[in-house]
Amino acid sequence: MTAQGRVVPAPADARAEDGRALVIRRLVKEYRPGQPVLRGIDLVVPSTGLTAIIGPSGTGKSTLIRCVNRLVQPTSGEILFRGEDLTKLSGAALRRARRRIGMVFQEYNLVERLSVMENLLCGRLGYVPVWRAWLRRFPEPDIARAFALLDAVGLPGFATRRADALSGGQRQRVGIARAIMQEPEIILADEPTSSLDPKSSVEVMEILSRLAAERGVPVVVNIHNVALARRFASRIVGMSGGHVVYDGPPEGLGEGDLRGIYGGESWLE
């Protein structure tokens, strides 16, 4: 650690073998040949806690998240999830891996014409036969869990409301509950507060961190709001120019680190 509190990330191979949910090694993504967005990312996500990824727009935060769940295909590198390289999976093997990865989207990604309950039960689609999903005949334990999660995210009595009738904060709560319905081994959240007002942003982060902690599920969240990252994360990863330039505790993130991540001086004043 430097005098500014900066922590230089160690290569993934050098870190402790125990307690790792996700190991990313030498990850590169190019949307255009010779113009990498991710430039050899090495990162380890522990099996518990909330990891916040901060950095300016265009630095690769969302691309990193989307490479993990394979919404984006990496150009090269490894993404080891519980010891299995996600970059090498396809077909049924990839679908099985995705069942264990909960995703919370910036724009909610709900089915607008369906009810809140039906959106929550979409989190079980990877676990039930196709005919049950088609007929919307989900097992009673799944329905009971969905009602319990609605209570947990502060939406009791919302089961029959259509998703398009909800506010932004309410939609994001449904998105979090749907991700938990998967019984995931990790949760990825891509800018879950960027479309919300300050009060709703805090509430969503509180719900996300609390539910994940109660279930012992690690969370990786991309977030622009540095104050929220400091408040809720157990670890902060700062990205700039497709590289990891800070990896450490929130209390170690100083002004010098923020200048290195975002550049400039005036925005800190």
Side-chain angles (χ1 to χ4, degrees):
M1 182 178 294
T2 68
Q4 291 80 18
R6 179 179 175 185
V7 177
V8 179
D13 300 58
R15 305 205 183 178
E17 291 293 323
D18 296 332
R20 305 185 304 179
L22 187 70
V23 178
I24 298 171
R25 292 175 175 152
R26 302 176 298 278
L27 187 67
V28 174
K29 174 59 186 177
E30 297 177 343
Y31 291 104
R32 296 180 180 178
Q35 299 181 31
V37 176
L38 301 178
R39 301 170 179 266
I41 298 293
D42 286 317
L43 192 65
V44 174
V45 177
S47 295
T48 58
L50 190 151
T51 297
I53 303 177
I54 64 172
S57 298
T59 198
K61 302 188 305 298
S62 290
T63 295
L64 176 59
I65 287 281
R66 290 170 178 266
C67 281
V68 172
N69 65 9
R70 291 286 304 281
L71 291 176
V72 168
Q73 176 63 37
T75 302
S76 63
E78 296 179 326
I79 303 172
L80 302 176
F81 177 50
R82 304 297 186 186
E84 185 175 43
D85 189 354
L86 298 178
T87 67
K88 293 181 168 55
L89 301 183
S90 61
L94 180 57
R95 288 193 295 273
R96 285 193 297 271
R98 280 176 169 161
R99 290 192 315 193
R100 300 178 292 148
I101 302 173
M103 186 73 186
V104 179
F105 294 89
Q106 176 180 350
E107 297 300 332
Y108 321 124
N109 204 36
L110 303 181
V111 183
E112 298 289 316
R113 62 182 177 82
L114 295 183
S115 69
V116 167
M117 175 60 70
E118 289 168 326
N119 270 281
L120 258 64
L121 290 172
C122 286
R124 301 303 296 166
L125 291 179
Y127 295 90
V128 300
V130 174
W131 69 269
R132 275 189 175 273
W134 179 257
L135 296 175
R136 301 179 187 177
R137 292 178 59 183
F138 289 86
E140 287 299 323
D142 287 348
I143 296 173
R145 287 186 67 246
F147 275 111
L149 278 171
L150 282 179
D151 288 342
V153 299
L155 295 176
F158 279 67
T160 59
R161 294 200 190 183
R162 279 177 52 127
D164 57 8
L166 303 180
S167 69
Q170 290 167 341
R171 292 184 188 194
Q172 198 59 286
R173 293 177 188 222
V174 174
I176 293 170
R178 180 187 56 192
I180 297 291
M181 278 294 294
Q182 291 180 225
E183 298 183 14
E185 295 178 29
I186 191 170
I187 295 174
L188 310 177
D190 189 10
E191 299 288 356
T193 65
S194 64
S195 300
L196 305 180
D197 61 72
K199 179 175 181 291
S200 295
S201 296
V202 171
E203 291 171 347
V204 161
M205 288 298 293
E206 285 176 340
I207 291 168
L208 183 60
S209 59
R210 172 174 54 81
L211 289 179
E214 289 173 355
R215 288 158 175 78
V217 178
V219 178
V220 180
V221 55
N222 289 341
I223 191 166
H224 278 297
N225 191 313
V226 175
L228 283 179
R230 281 175 158 155
R231 178 172 174 178
F232 290 100
S234 54
R235 171 191 183 198
I236 291 180
V237 173
M239 290 184 62
S240 182
H243 296 282
V244 173
V245 297
Y246 178 89
D247 185 350
E251 58 271 19
L253 184 69
E255 289 191 5
D257 302 301
L258 290 171
R259 292 189 188 97
I261 294 168
Y262 292 99
E265 301 281 344
S266 61
W267 71 275
L268 287 169
E269 297 175 356

